[in-house]
Amino acid sequence: MNTLFRIIGASIVLALGALVTATSAAQQPAAATKPPLYERLGGLKGISLVVDDFIDRLVANKTLNKNPAIDAGRKASPAPYLKVQVSQLVCEATGGPCRYAGKDMKSSHVRLNISEAEWDVMAGEFKKSLNKFKVPAAEQNELFEIVGKTKPDVVVRKG
């Protein structure tokens, strides 16, 4: 679950679709395509509820608050602003209609000096938020797959 926080990844658009071979398509009706992850997360409303709770958890987290760069970053980008930005990002990345207009992940995190351990703490907090809103495991895993691609741009130090 360490890859859970990767939800902050920017400009990742999820392509969903069912692959059906020509043989199976000829023998049986095509399987119904799965709705986009955006819809399965409850649309913008569901995403916003999870993100709101998640950002509140991050702001209150004592381990993360020990990092002076994260603390300074929170002052530059207060929680209400982060909630809007992250909600838009998740909406777009999961196939929704939103368009994230914020900075790329590397630019927005470079000064935060985030460690592997802090990434893990953030991932744990995100998992708590997803569980609180009863997001099913399949959707959580799909979300983790998307955000996992941002870790190299977010984590800048070991430990």
Side-chain angles (χ1 to χ4, degrees):
M1 297 303 163
N2 291 343
T3 61
L4 197 51
F5 182 69
R6 295 173 190 158
I7 193 68
I8 300 179
S11 70
I12 300 169
V13 179
L14 179 63
L16 296 174
L19 297 176
V20 180
T21 63
T23 307
S24 64
Q27 294 176 350
Q28 53 186 299
T33 58
K34 192 180 340 179
L37 181 56
Y38 168 79
E39 291 177 22
R40 291 181 280 130
L41 292 173
L44 188 57
K45 180 180 178 181
I47 289 168
S48 296
L49 290 170
V50 170
V51 169
D52 181 73
D53 186 74
F54 172 58
I55 298 298
D56 286 348
R57 288 176 187 278
L58 292 184
V59 169
N61 187 283
K62 292 177 183 183
T63 300
L64 298 175
N65 287 331
K66 290 178 186 177
N67 179 332
I70 291 175
D71 186 53
R74 287 202 182 108
K75 289 176 176 76
S77 297
Y81 171 77
L82 289 176
K83 290 175 183 184
V84 170
Q85 292 292 352
V86 174
S87 292
Q88 287 178 342
L89 177 62
V90 174
C91 172
E92 179 178 341
T94 59
C98 306
R99 294 298 163 248
Y100 173 71
K103 293 180 180 180
D104 64 87
M105 289 299 96
K106 192 169 201 105
S107 299
S108 62
H109 291 87
V110 68
R111 291 186 179 96
L112 299 182
N113 198 29
I114 295 173
S115 70
E116 290 273 346
E118 290 163 340
W119 174 275
D120 293 345
V121 168
M122 289 184 278
E125 294 296 347
F126 191 63
K127 174 76 172 153
K128 290 175 189 174
S129 294
L130 291 169
N131 289 339
K132 176 180 177 178
F133 290 98
K134 296 178 175 45
V135 175
E139 281 69 25
Q140 287 190 29
N141 290 336
E142 199 169 329
L143 199 50
F144 307 155
E145 179 70 27
I146 294 169
V147 298
K149 298 173 184 172
T150 67
K151 187 175 181 178
D153 291 334
V154 174
V155 175
V156 298
R157 63 186 168 91
K158 301 289 181 199

